[in-house]
Amino acid sequence: MKEITHDADFCVVGGGLAGMCAAIAAARRGARTVLMHDRPVPGGNASSEIRMHICGADRGDALGLRETGILEELELENKFRNPQCSYSLWDSVLFGAVSTQPNLTTLLNCSCVEARTDGGRVLSVRGWQGTAETWHTVRAALFADCSGDSVLGPLTGAQLRTGRESREEFGESIEPDNADSRTMGMSCLIQVREHEHPVPFRAPSWAANVAGLEGLHVPQRRHDMRGGTNYWWLELGGEEDPIHDTESLRDRLVPLALGVWDHIKNGGDHGADNWSLEWMGFLPGK
């Protein structure tokens, strides 16, 4: 197999929005930077693979609180180049931001699988780039773990924790009495499109049967099909392993998403006659 070694000042593992912003900021300050990302497109949960809109960055209230900086640059570029809100064009905005940035080397489709340490300090990481059948080793003075699942934690032996701490540990009244391993779940988002005529939907035999499921009808603001982000609230996995159970949870989320849409289309009058299923995710967003 081919082996390539990169020497850098700073290496970022994980190319979601946090990793992108960290890598771009460092490169602009003159640091030789490498960004290692395990997906074909950057952006993480905000990319076309998952399609979770950027939230938390703009409160949209009278105070006008808003994140600016690199994140704002990306959003403004998208508004200029992508008025039709195409996720493929949004991917190209994100791709262009990292691929054209001086001092920044981007390794897409490259999964970090090894790390070498000395005295508690990370010396290098090694990633497998499946599309090119190439091993990439990155040696750097500093590393940032922006991988979402914190892949550098177990690879380096760093201290880490998961789940919820007990109420008394930090004096937080909203925490449970006893610590547990529960986390947020993961979602396979679905998006729909309105037409000028009725569009039928025929669910596969393996779609979940959600008829009568308690709690299916969530508040109207969350299932308004004209909202643009559509159905992101289908969530599983909060009581299971949020990393090692990802594939099995995806196998449950996809039939569930199809079952929910089948219920909306064929389970009563939900005003969905002219709507079709435009897209659904197969990579769970966490």
Side-chain angles (χ1 to χ4, degrees):
M1 295 295 178
K2 188 175 182 179
E3 299 260 359
I4 299 178
T5 299
H6 310 263
D7 289 303
D9 301 310
F10 183 47
C11 176
V12 179
V13 177
L17 290 178
M20 287 181 61
C21 290
I24 292 171
R28 288 180 177 179
R29 296 295 295 266
R32 297 172 302 158
T33 304
V34 174
L35 175 63
M36 182 180 290
H37 186 48
D38 63 355
R39 306 303 305 171
V41 292
N45 278 357
S47 75
S48 65
E49 292 192 300
I50 297 175
R51 303 193 178 191
M52 184 63 194
H53 60 287
I54 301 174
C55 55
D58 184 358
R59 284 179 46 169
D61 57 16
L63 294 177
L65 301 178
R66 182 179 180 87
E67 289 185 50
T68 56
I70 295 172
L71 184 62
E72 179 81 343
E73 289 180 29
L74 296 172
E75 293 200 275
L76 288 174
E77 176 73 7
N78 188 53
K79 292 288 187 183
F80 176 69
R81 285 188 42 217
N82 185 22
Q84 67 271 40
C85 298
S86 161
Y87 264 96
S88 292
L89 283 178
W90 167 238
D91 280 346
S92 76
V93 170
L94 300 177
F95 177 81
V98 294
S99 64
T100 63
Q101 173 61 50
N103 293 327
L104 177 57
T105 298
T106 303
L107 304 174
L108 296 178
N109 291 303
C110 192
S111 299
C112 181
V113 296
E114 296 178 20
R116 190 165 64 90
T117 63
D118 182 31
R121 187 177 187 86
V122 184
L123 301 179
S124 65
V125 296
R126 193 167 188 242
W128 170 248
Q129 194 172 45
T131 51
E133 298 188 8
T134 298
W135 287 102
H136 291 271
T137 296
V138 183
R139 299 184 299 211
L142 295 171
F143 291 81
D145 186 348
C146 299
S147 62
D149 282 340
S150 299
V151 66
L152 286 185
L155 291 180
T156 60
Q159 289 185 338
L160 56 89
R161 69 186 304 168
T162 186
R164 303 183 298 180
E165 64 271 16
S166 67
R167 180 176 302 175
E168 66 177 13
E169 184 171 352
F170 298 108
E172 296 174 301
S173 61
I174 62 173
E175 295 298 335
D177 290 333
N178 300 307
D180 58 39
S181 60
R182 293 184 179 183
T183 64
M184 292 182 68
M186 55 192 72
S187 304
C188 282
L189 184 147
I190 62 176
Q191 290 185 307
V192 297
R193 171 182 288 188
E194 187 176 21
H195 301 264
E196 295 180 353
H197 52 80
V199 180
F201 177 73
R202 300 174 182 87
S205 60
W206 45 268
N209 182 2
V210 302
L213 270 187
E214 185 178 347
L216 176 63
H217 298 286
V218 295
Q220 179 65 32
R221 67 180 180 86
R222 290 193 178 183
H223 64 85
D224 179 1
M225 290 178 287
R226 292 177 176 81
T229 56
N230 296 151
Y231 296 84
W232 54 265
W233 46 264
L234 306 173
E235 188 171 301
L236 291 176
E239 299 179 0
E240 300 171 62
D241 189 318
I243 297 174
H244 298 104
D245 290 336
T246 297
E247 289 292 298
S248 61
L249 288 166
R250 186 273 323 283
D251 290 347
R252 291 161 55 193
L253 279 165
V254 172
L256 177 60
L258 289 169
V260 167
W261 186 242
D262 183 39
H263 174 78
I264 293 171
K265 287 289 291 185
N266 304 315
D269 184 10
H270 299 288
D273 289 349
N274 289 7
W275 291 81
S276 67
L277 182 60
E278 171 78 2
W279 181 89
M280 63 183 301
F282 286 84
L283 177 66
K286 300 185 178 182

